[in-house]
Amino acid sequence: MIALAVTIALAFAGYVAAYLNGLRLAQRSERLARVNRQLSDFYGPLFAITEANSRAFDAFAQRNARPDGRSPFDHEDPPTQEELAEWRLWVTTVFLPNIRTMRDLVVTHADLLRESEMPPILLKLCAHVSGYEITAARWAQGQFDQHQSVVSFPSQELADYAREGFTSLKAAQGRLLGRSRSAG
């Protein structure tokens, strides 16, 4: 009788252990799937487009700097018509499509945010894009009195946010996959 009770207890303990292990593995699998989606659908693309936009802007700024090295927009002398035309070209063909892509990532994939509330930096990005859309619409009508968004672009803050989100999620992905810090 004791042997039967021990056998039943061991079988039950084995079942409970298997169930709990299965539950733990399923939860880990779900966490990994979410991290993978966050990386592939939000933080990865946001980081890549933010970096690409920053590099394009740096190239524009270097190519179009005044002889003293400063931007025509950060100068005592206002930008020339040629400088403004070049700016409009870069905004409409490079910068506006890039920032629209960033905004669209925020709007369509907000469920993948790490935070429980929308970060203010992402709201500022969305407002910046809206401000440039009206500016670009005026340009399309031949009105060239405005050349910037009414909301400044949060360049460094956004770059930091995207980089930190991407790198921390890559680290979490590595841990969930059982990789050590030194393994790649």
Side-chain angles (χ1 to χ4, degrees), residues 25-102:
L25 290 174
Q27 289 170 338
R28 182 179 179 148
S29 179
E30 288 174 20
R31 283 193 309 270
L32 179 59
R34 176 161 173 78
V35 166
N36 287 340
R37 276 200 66 226
Q38 287 175 301
L39 283 167
S40 67
D41 295 349
F42 186 73
Y43 288 96
L46 182 65
F47 178 59
I49 198 73
T50 300
E51 285 294 312
N53 194 64
S54 176
R55 292 171 192 203
F57 183 81
D58 289 346
F60 166 82
Q62 185 176 26
R63 180 174 182 231
N64 294 284
R66 297 255 174 104
D68 64 3
R70 292 188 295 162
S71 163
F73 291 102
D74 295 329
H75 212 274
E76 301 80 42
D77 298 324
T80 66
Q81 290 306 310
E82 294 79 22
E83 290 169 329
L84 292 174
E86 185 71 5
W87 175 248
R88 289 190 300 270
L89 178 64
W90 277 77
V91 167
T92 56
T93 58
V94 178
F95 304 132
L96 189 52
N98 285 347
I99 63 175
R100 279 180 175 150
T101 299
M102 291 178 213

Side-chain angles (χ1 to χ4, degrees), residues 141-158:
Q141 294 175 346
Q143 299 175 27
F144 303 117
D145 56 324
Q146 299 290 319
H147 280 85
Q148 297 182 321
S149 175
V150 294
V151 177
S152 63
F153 184 63
S155 178
Q156 191 57 54
E157 290 174 276
L158 184 60

